[in-house]
Amino acid sequence: MTANTNKTSDFEKVAGYPVWSGGQTALLRSVKDDIEQSRKITVIAINPEKVIRAADDPDLKDILLSADYLIPDGIGIVKASKKQRGAIKKRITGIDLMDGLCALAAQNSYRIFLLGAAEESVQGTKVFLEEKYPDLSICGVQNGYWQDDQKLLSDINETNPDIILVALGSPKQEMWIRENMKRLSACVYQGVGGSFDVFSGKVKRAPRWMQQIGLEWLYRLIFQPSRLRHQAKLLKFFRIAKESKNE
Ligand code: UDP
């Protein structure tokens, strides 16, 4: 991975991780620059769940630390930044950034490959995005349940994408990107979690007002109560954030 060493001013340390603090518009400008310069970069969402998991998982920690752009996906990251009087004012969710990347791709003729989720989700996402961005070129799709790794890699490379959006859930997608990006020719690799399920209409996102007041996590909790296990660990996140500040 190429480190964006000239962009350190756009990152803020939260819980020990350099999180992008420059907002989505500047991030998209920076990614465009990366593509134009043929730099290979990874975009990974960071939230309290991942920080907590990474505390016991050195592999995940390493992946997060070596990402080129860690985006502040969870409201907990914004709150932790606020507590330390930092610069991160708003979330950049994986799904909003994915949408922004599609708009960027449509404007600049970048080619996008969609990888992951169930067949109807990935196909539905392609249809939705092509309707929303008539100039968008989605050069290939593959659901998240393939058999042959080698074939997958050569199939992807044959379509010649600039951007690969990987929807395998976390941390599987982050591990997949780390393992495989060296064999792929695309520049941009974003892990997008359950976004294809949302774009295809399979899963509903929280209403806009809930997103705006930072309650999207509550909406997801109501519809997926199994997430409670993760939410209960939030206190641990704020402890990690506090400790890393004092280091
Ligand atoms: N998924 C997949 N292959 C797998 C495991 C998961 O394609 O082997 C997909 C799954 O179908 C779903 C997404 O990964 O579309 C995970 O969504 P989730 O909301 O759980 O991810 P999160 O955003 O919480 O990481």
Side-chain angles (χ1 to χ4, degrees):
M1 276 172 233
T2 33
N4 293 300
T5 43
N6 56 333
K7 293 168 189 156
T8 45
S9 61
D10 289 321
F11 293 88
E12 176 186 334
K13 266 248 161 101
V14 179
Y17 295 93
V19 181
W20 179 261
S21 59
Q24 176 158 313
T25 308
L27 176 49
L28 287 169
R29 259 200 311 271
S30 191
V31 170
K32 178 170 189 280
D33 189 47
D34 293 325
I35 297 174
E36 300 300 325
Q37 304 295 324
S38 302
R39 279 195 288 263
K40 271 192 174 181
I41 55 111
T42 56
V43 183
I44 305 287
I46 188 163
N47 52 41
E49 283 175 45
K50 284 190 197 169
V51 171
I52 293 161
R53 196 193 282 242
D56 299 320
D57 181 344
D59 240 18
L60 180 60
K61 186 171 183 178
D62 184 54
I63 287 173
L64 295 178
L65 285 172
S66 55
D68 294 281
Y69 301 98
L70 279 178
I71 56 166
D73 172 75
I75 188 69
I77 301 290
V78 179
K79 294 230 157 93
S81 169
K82 200 170 176 189
K83 265 194 176 165
Q84 63 191 18
R85 296 181 206 285
I88 301 170
K89 303 287 175 238
K90 255 172 88 174
R91 299 167 69 201
I92 301 177
T93 61
I95 191 165
D96 286 339
L97 186 67
M98 171 178 156
D99 189 61
L101 278 177
C102 290
L104 183 77
Q107 280 157 17
N108 295 280
S109 308
Y110 301 147
R111 295 157 67 83
I112 290 198
F113 194 101
L114 303 176
L115 174 65
E119 182 65 15
E120 66 271 22
S121 277
V122 68
Q123 293 292 354
T125 300
K126 179 177 185 315
V127 170
F128 175 86
L129 290 172
E130 285 174 341
E131 263 174 33
K132 184 167 181 188
Y133 301 109
D135 294 332
L136 183 64
S137 166
I138 295 186
C139 59
V141 300
Q142 166 62 51
N143 70 47
Y145 302 92
W146 66 89
Q147 302 293 328
D148 185 337
D149 287 331
Q150 289 315 314
K151 184 174 178 319
L152 173 71
L153 296 178
S154 59
D155 284 353
I156 295 176
N157 277 335
E158 241 167 60
T159 66
N160 202 21
D162 299 291
I163 299 169
I164 304 182
L165 302 169
V166 187
L168 301 175
S170 189
K172 191 169 185 182
Q173 63 200 17
E174 286 84 7
M175 308 276 180
W176 188 88
I177 291 171
R178 183 178 62 177
E179 287 311 305
N180 295 291
M181 67 186 284
K182 48 188 172 290
R183 299 186 199 99
L184 291 163
S185 55
C187 283
V188 179
Y189 300 80
Q190 186 193 352
V192 297
S195 299
F196 295 178
D197 296 333
V198 176
F199 278 118
S200 64
K202 191 175 164 197
V203 168
K204 275 215 168 3
R205 212 179 157 189
R208 200 86 199 156
W209 66 266
M210 274 185 111
Q211 295 174 35
Q212 275 161 356
I213 59 172
L215 285 182
E216 190 161 21
W217 62 271
L218 179 62
Y219 183 89
R220 293 188 82 182
L221 188 60
I222 293 165
F223 289 95
Q224 289 173 282
S226 58
R227 290 187 174 270
L228 183 61
R229 231 167 4 101
H230 299 300
Q231 302 296 345
K233 293 182 185 160
L234 265 180
L235 283 176
K236 188 171 172 190
F237 165 73
F238 283 104
R239 205 191 63 225
I240 295 172
K242 192 161 173 237
E243 283 168 5
S244 74
K245 224 180 94 191
N246 298 333
E247 268 169 15

